């Protein structure tokens, strides 16, 4: 079994880390640089930084903050929010990001995935998929920070982004987000088992068993969470030891 990854996520709004439920009711969760430093020192395998209002506000990701975080930590660092061009990606990589995450811009212009993969290599292109189950339909892709439903069905879109050159998928269940009731295991499993690239599962983590479930039943390559780490409900060293003891391959 390949080593599984634990990834804290910093959702950034106006320079601060925030966390909500089902993508709304945001509350402050602390200073982004301080949290990043804490996670790097406590054994996180990677860090994801999402400027969650950049697309909606029609602006670029906060480069200065990205630079500060990158100079504070020594683990791989993925940045997303407001990215829509080669120039945007170049600026973020130069600021210290290791990977970039695109969502709304990829849905709007799928060719962008291919363009970025060819320019920078698939290994640093993550496509984020925010998905919600819509009544009478299957899981539907949403954009603009989860605000706007699209005509794209989640499972087929996941296959398309892989074919277009994405190196990784960040799959967030909006239905599970912030609920702490567990990851969307059935959807995660369907996508993971049919993908040739790593799948990061996001949305719903509430306890250590949820991570075990998403790695074993959901076949995810990485588990991402925010509030349970930000508010110190679960410690990353304790989580990794728990998973290792249950037979999950972890880097301690």
């Amino acid at each position: 079994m390949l080593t599984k990854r634990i990834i804290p996520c910093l959702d950034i709004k106006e320079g601060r880390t925030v966390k909500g439920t089902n993508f709304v009711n945001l509350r402050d969760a602390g200073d982004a640089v301080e949290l990043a430093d804490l996670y790097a020192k406590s054994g996180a395998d990677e860090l994801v930084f999402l400027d969650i209002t950049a697309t909606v506000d029609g602006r670029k990701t906060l480069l200065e903050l990205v630079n500060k975080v990158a100079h504070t930590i020594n683990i791989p660092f993925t940045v997303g929010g407001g990215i829509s061009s080669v120039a945007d990606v170049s600026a973020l990589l130069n600021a210290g990001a290791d990977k970039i995450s695109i969502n709304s811009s990829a849905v709007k212009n799928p060719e962008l995935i291919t363009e970025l993969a060819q320019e920078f290599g698939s290994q640093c292109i993550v496509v984020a998929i925010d998905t919600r189950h819509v009544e009478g339909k299957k899981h539907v892709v949403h954009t603009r920070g989860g605000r706007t439903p699209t005509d794209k069905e989640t499972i087929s879109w996941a296959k398309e982004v892989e074919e277009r050159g994405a190196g990784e998928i960040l799959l967030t269940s909006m239905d599970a987000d912030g609920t702490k009731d567990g990851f969307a295991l059935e959807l995660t499993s369907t996508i993971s088992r049919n993908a040739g690239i790593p799948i990061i599962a996001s949305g719903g983590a509430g306890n250590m068993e949820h991570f075990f479930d998403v790695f074993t039943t959901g076949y995810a390559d990485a588990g991402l969470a925010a509030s349970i780490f930000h508010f110190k409900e679960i410690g990353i060293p304790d989580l990794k030891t728990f998973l290792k003891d249950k037979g999950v391959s972890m880097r301690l």
Side-chain angles (χ1 to χ4, degrees):
M1 182 190 290
L2 290 175
T3 301
K4 303 295 187 178
R5 291 170 288 149
I6 301 297
I7 306 177
C9 181
L10 304 179
D11 289 330
I12 307 297
K13 183 180 181 184
E14 296 167 2
R16 295 285 292 180
T17 308
V18 296
K19 185 55 195 159
T21 302
N22 306 128
F23 281 41
V24 295
N25 301 323
L26 301 178
R27 58 178 171 149
D28 190 271
D31 179 82
V33 179
E34 289 176 5
L35 281 171
D37 184 42
L38 173 68
Y39 293 140
K41 289 175 177 173
S42 66
D45 296 294
E46 296 186 20
L47 189 70
V48 168
F49 171 116
L50 299 176
D51 190 340
I52 61 172
T53 57
T55 298
V56 175
D57 294 346
R59 58 172 173 77
K60 302 304 179 187
T61 307
L62 303 169
L63 279 177
E64 185 181 344
L65 189 55
V66 170
N67 189 267
K68 284 182 182 176
V69 171
H71 281 83
T72 302
I73 64 175
N74 60 352
I75 56 176
F77 177 37
T78 300
V79 178
I83 300 168
S84 59
S85 69
V86 167
D88 291 342
V89 175
S90 185
L92 287 165
L93 296 179
N94 286 333
D98 297 288
K99 297 186 267 190
I100 61 89
S101 171
I102 53 174
N103 183 346
S104 300
S105 59
V107 173
K108 184 178 179 181
N109 174 24
E111 281 295 326
L112 179 66
I113 304 168
T114 308
E115 184 182 2
L116 295 179
Q118 290 175 345
E119 181 72 24
F120 302 103
S122 291
Q123 78 286 344
C124 74
I125 308 303
V126 179
V127 173
I129 300 177
D130 294 337
T131 177
R132 171 173 273 158
H133 188 268
V134 175
E135 197 66 41
K137 299 182 181 179
K138 297 181 179 179
H139 289 275
V140 174
V141 177
H142 285 59
T143 59
R144 292 171 56 81
R147 291 167 175 81
T148 307
T150 70
D151 61 356
K152 291 191 180 296
E153 193 271 315
T154 302
I155 294 170
S156 60
W157 176 235
K159 200 68 194 167
E160 181 179 343
V161 303
E162 178 181 352
E163 291 168 352
R164 288 183 177 277
E168 205 160 13
I169 290 172
L170 170 53
L171 178 68
T172 300
S173 166
M174 294 174 62
D175 300 305
D177 177 69
T179 64
K180 299 183 185 174
D181 291 334
F183 293 94
L185 296 179
E186 186 177 346
L187 178 65
T188 304
S189 172
T190 298
I191 291 175
S192 295
R193 286 185 291 108
N194 288 286
I197 58 176
I199 306 299
I200 304 168
S202 167
N207 59 46
M208 296 188 192
E209 286 285 351
H210 291 155
F211 284 89
F212 178 74
D213 292 342
V214 85
F215 290 142
T216 56
T217 304
Y219 297 95
D221 298 275
L224 179 145
S227 61
I228 58 167
F229 297 142
H230 300 340
F231 302 118
K232 298 180 172 55
E233 294 166 35
I234 294 178
I236 291 174
D238 295 337
L239 174 60
K240 295 181 91 171
T241 300
F242 168 83
L243 291 167
K244 185 93 172 177
D245 289 348
K246 287 179 74 77
V248 179
S249 180
M250 304 297 303
R251 181 183 64 82
L252 296 180

